[in-house]
């Protein structure tokens, strides 16, 4: 059996969006599933629109998503160069082949590929009704996803422009032949080009690769109907990087845009996706992008991370927000995160959720404060808490002892539970009435911070 060779062939003319990432991923998954080779080929023949920064974004996004290529830029391989702009000689050779075979002619300075006419088949009657002036016999495309697709080219087409530059159809096919590509997995928008490509493969006497045209991706339901475009919200992979999504979660979500395992599970580790991934299980119908679903999957991934790994992801987020120094204490960081990991839905919300653990400059929820100050005797409650907690030494500052101190306080006031003292204390130390579990939060904040904040808030209150 021949080794599977697939390629992802982006043009560096724009940002790396969900559609490109999904195409790259499906190729990569198929290569890994079959033990084949994943080639990255840069289709940079459009000199006017290529930008080096877009190329960097392609590399960067692919690496971020863990899609390593076996052959291509920065790595090399036996079938290079992997930039179309550097393959001029190869294209010339192939142009000459077609010229010699009498399959080309010049018209208005451009070089045309001559279709072979008069190849009538069983589809002819049908096509004659559909397409005027059918020139070539219809081509049957055997698509791994769509089954048999029949298309016919009605016109000869340009393979080399008047300025000497070969066209997309031509270089795309030449490279697939030269790079020994066995499977062409690409977006459905290319289906309309495929009959041209098949004609070229035939003209070169080369085997036609197995095609698999991936379904369209539709806009997020929140953004209306139709095909998702590069300009739609949530379309760029870079955005997820900036918003600190976990690459494994994004990759998992992308895998579900048109593919699903038979048991319909969603959260799957990459090894399992690779193991189950088959082209024939890709759906024909359009896939719908749903950012909420991606965010939800990301949250599930975040919850399951061991705290050490979570801290590894959280550190740059908190550093960027100016909350911790690069060399901040790992032990304290992990203790804070162990408390908050469950409650924070996305890493980008971590700074606002944990600010008071790292800084004295944290916001106070004025509405919550107004409500708290309306009942009971807040100033007195705070004085009582301060007195009770200052009995504990630094060494005694643990969940159990703190809990006991509150219980004793309650009892001394004839109460069964210390609920009268909790909300005002929580507000004093965190500026809010919600957050992680109360007593463990005090433990992690530490004696000094807690007492100082309780005292400070107490002193601000009138009464
Ligand atoms: N450069 C083409 C694109 O970005 C690749 C087409 C193909 O995969 O054959 O759409």
């Amino acid at each position: 059996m021949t080794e599977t060779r697939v390629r992802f062939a982006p043009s560096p003319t724009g940002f790396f969006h969900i559609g490109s990432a999904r195409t790259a991923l499906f190729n990569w998954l198929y290569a890994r599933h079959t033990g084949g080779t994943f080639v990255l080929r840069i289709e940079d023949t459009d000199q006017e629109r290529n930008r080096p920064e877009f190329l960097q974004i392609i590399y960067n996004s692919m690496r971020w998503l863990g899609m390593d290529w076996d052959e291509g830029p920065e790595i090399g391989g036996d079938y290079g160069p992997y930039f179309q702009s550097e393959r001029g000689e190869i294209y010339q050779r192939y142009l000459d082949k077609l010229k010699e075979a009498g399959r080309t002619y010049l018209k208005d300075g451009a070089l045309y590929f001559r279709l072979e006419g008069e190849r009538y088949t069983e589809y002819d009657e049908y096509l004659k009704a559909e397409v005027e002036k059918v020139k070539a016999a219809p081509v049957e495309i055997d698509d791994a996803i769509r089954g048999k697709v029949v298309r016919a080219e009605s016109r000869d087409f340009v393979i080399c422009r008047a300025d000497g530059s070969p066209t997309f159809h031509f270089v795309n096919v030449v490279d697939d032949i030269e790079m020994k590509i066995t499977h062409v997995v690409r977006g459905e928008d290319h289906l309309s080009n495929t009959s041209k490509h098949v004609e070229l493969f035939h003209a070169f006497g080369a085997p036609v690769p197995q095609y698999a045209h991936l379904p369209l991706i539709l806009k997020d339901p929140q953004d209306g109907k139709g095909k998702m475009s590069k300009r739609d919200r949530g379309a760029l992979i870079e955005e997820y990087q900036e918003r600190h999504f976990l690459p494994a979660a994004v990759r998992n979500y992308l895998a579900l845009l048109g593919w699903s395992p038979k048991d319909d599970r969603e959260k799957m580790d990459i090894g399992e996706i690779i193991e189950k991934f088959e082209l024939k299980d890709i759906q024909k119908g359009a896939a719908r992008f749903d950012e909420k679903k991606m965010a939800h999957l990301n949250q599930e991934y975040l919850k399951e991370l061991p705290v050490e790994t979570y801290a590894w992801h959280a550190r740059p987020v908190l550093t960027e927000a100016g909350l911790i120094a690069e060399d901040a204490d790992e032990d304290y960081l992990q203790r804070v995160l162990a408390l908050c990991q469950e409650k924070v839905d996305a890493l980008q919300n971590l700074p606002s959720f944990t600010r008071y653990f790292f800084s004295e400059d944290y916001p106070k929820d004025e509405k919550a404060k107004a409500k708290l100050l309306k009942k009971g005797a807040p100033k007195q409650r705070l004085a009582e808490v301060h007195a009770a907690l200052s009995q504990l030494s630094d060494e005694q500052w643990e969940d159990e002892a703190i809990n006991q101190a509150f219980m004793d306080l309650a009892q001394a006031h004839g109460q069964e539970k210390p609920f009268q003292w909790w909300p005002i204390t929580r507000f004093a130390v965190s500026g809010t009435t919600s957050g992680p579990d109360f007593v463990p939060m005090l433990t992690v904040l530490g004696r000094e911070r807690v007492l100082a904040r309780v005292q400070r808030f107490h002193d601000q209150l009138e009464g």
Side-chain angles (χ1 to χ4, degrees):
M1 232 180 81
T2 44
E3 184 216 15
T4 299
R5 290 180 57 84
V6 292
R7 85 301 194 272
F8 172 54
S11 306
T13 54
F15 289 100
F16 195 72
H17 54 95
I18 296 276
S20 312
R22 197 263 319 249
T23 300
L25 179 63
F26 281 26
N27 276 285
W28 181 84
L29 286 172
Y30 194 59
R32 295 295 170 261
H33 174 77
T34 55
T37 301
F38 176 53
V39 178
L40 175 61
R41 176 173 85 219
I42 305 298
E43 303 213 322
D44 59 346
T45 49
D46 190 346
Q47 300 291 357
E48 309 248 293
R49 290 172 59 222
N50 292 328
R51 295 270 180 286
E53 57 272 27
F54 290 141
L55 195 60
Q56 285 312 316
I57 291 173
I58 293 171
Y59 298 161
N60 192 320
S61 303
M62 287 183 66
R63 289 191 168 122
W64 184 67
L65 289 169
M67 302 188 289
D68 51 324
W69 52 97
D70 308 310
E71 288 176 25
E74 298 186 349
I75 284 185
D78 292 344
Y79 302 91
Y82 292 92
F83 290 88
Q84 288 188 328
S85 57
E86 295 170 13
R87 296 173 65 80
E89 273 174 43
I90 299 169
Y91 303 141
Q92 193 52 55
R93 227 174 348 102
Y94 275 75
L95 279 177
D96 292 344
K97 282 191 201 183
L98 288 184
K99 279 186 205 162
E100 279 160 30
R103 296 295 300 272
T104 64
Y105 60 90
L106 269 170
K107 197 173 98 187
D108 303 330
L111 192 69
Y112 279 75
F113 173 65
R114 189 197 305 277
L115 293 172
E116 282 186 337
E118 268 50 83
R119 283 195 285 137
Y120 293 111
T121 73
E122 57 188 296
Y123 300 106
D124 196 48
E125 281 310 306
Y126 159 76
L127 280 161
K128 253 200 250 169
E130 296 288 305
V131 191
E132 270 191 2
K133 282 202 292 173
V134 174
K135 193 158 181 219
V139 184
E140 209 175 72
I141 302 157
D142 180 21
D143 192 278
I145 300 165
R146 264 144 243 281
K148 288 207 190 321
V149 181
V150 180
R151 285 184 166 266
E153 285 305 313
S154 56
R155 265 178 213 104
D156 296 343
F157 55 91
V158 176
I159 50 175
C160 193
R161 299 183 193 89
D163 66 5
S165 61
T167 60
F168 160 70
H169 302 301
F170 181 78
V171 297
N172 186 264
V173 168
V174 169
D175 285 348
D176 284 345
I177 295 172
E178 279 282 300
M179 294 180 180
K180 299 200 164 51
I181 298 304
T182 56
H183 296 69
V184 169
V185 181
R186 62 185 175 189
E188 188 184 73
D189 47 328
H190 283 291
L191 192 55
S192 57
N193 299 323
T194 305
S195 42
K196 288 190 182 68
H197 297 182
V198 171
E199 292 285 358
L200 285 168
F201 280 106
H202 287 327
F204 287 120
V208 178
Q210 169 72 63
Y211 286 101
H213 285 94
L214 305 176
L216 278 181
I217 301 177
L218 301 176
K219 275 186 209 296
D220 196 297
Q222 294 183 66
D223 295 336
K225 289 202 175 113
K227 184 176 174 251
M228 185 167 192
S229 94
K230 301 178 191 198
R231 285 166 300 280
D232 278 320
R233 190 178 51 83
L236 304 183
I237 295 299
E238 262 190 319
E239 267 178 46
Y240 298 101
Q241 222 170 331
E242 277 160 21
R243 287 160 65 192
H244 305 290
F245 272 64
L246 293 176
V250 176
R251 187 174 57 192
N252 187 158
Y253 181 73
L254 291 173
L256 301 171
L257 283 175
W259 173 85
S260 58
K262 300 240 163 49
D263 55 9
D264 271 342
R265 269 180 329 117
E266 301 207 317
K267 185 172 179 295
M268 277 174 289
D269 75 41
I270 193 64
E272 201 182 340
I273 297 178
I274 289 173
E275 192 192 312
K276 297 203 164 128
F277 187 82
E278 296 283 0
L279 296 179
K280 67 174 172 47
D281 294 334
I282 297 170
Q283 75 198 38
K284 275 192 224 146
R288 159 107 35 209
F289 175 72
D290 185 340
E291 203 185 65
K292 274 202 191 129
K293 218 168 135 178
M294 167 149 38
H296 181 76
L297 198 57
N298 184 59
Q299 187 178 354
E300 279 184 53
Y301 269 83
L302 281 171
K303 278 192 179 159
E304 285 176 20
L305 290 181
V307 72
E308 300 78 32
T309 319
Y310 189 84
W312 186 85
H313 287 285
R315 191 175 268 276
V317 181
L318 295 170
T319 312
E320 206 178 283
L323 288 187
I324 62 171
E326 304 254 346
D327 60 353
D329 181 56
E330 182 68 18
D331 180 56
Y332 181 64
L333 177 63
Q334 286 191 20
R335 290 174 73 207
V336 171
L337 296 176
L339 277 183
C340 303
Q341 182 173 357
E342 268 286 312
K343 313 238 166 190
V344 180
D345 61 347
L347 281 170
Q348 68 172 351
N349 297 330
L350 193 62
S352 62
F353 196 86
T354 58
R355 185 167 201 96
Y356 57 85
F357 283 102
F358 304 107
S359 165
E360 290 306 316
D361 177 24
Y362 51 90
K364 318 282 182 296
D365 178 346
E366 290 301 329
K367 246 189 174 162
K369 180 174 162 184
K371 226 168 138 190
L372 275 174
L373 297 187
K374 260 194 235 144
K375 4 171 226 209
K379 190 168 170 118
Q380 193 172 340
R381 296 283 92 87
L382 287 169
E384 287 154 7
V385 167
H386 194 278
L389 292 183
S390 33
Q391 307 284 316
L392 301 176
S393 69
D394 252 337
E395 289 74 47
Q396 290 169 319
W397 195 263
E398 288 298 342
D399 287 2
E400 214 176 306
I402 295 171
N403 208 21
Q404 194 55 54
F406 274 100
M407 292 303 277
D408 293 347
L409 186 57
Q411 243 164 34
H413 288 77
Q415 305 275 323
E416 214 174 301
K417 299 274 182 197
F419 296 147
Q420 272 187 34
W421 290 266
W422 277 16
I424 192 75
T425 307
R426 180 190 279 280
F427 187 87
V429 300
S430 71
T432 162
T433 45
S434 61
D437 292 345
F438 176 64
V439 171
M441 173 181 79
L442 297 184
T443 305
V444 171
L445 275 168
R447 180 177 193 274
E448 200 183 325
R449 268 198 206 94
V450 169
L451 290 178
R453 290 179 187 181
V454 168
Q455 183 73 55
R456 196 164 64 213
F457 190 42
H458 169 271
D459 294 347
Q460 281 168 16
L461 298 183
E462 289 171 22

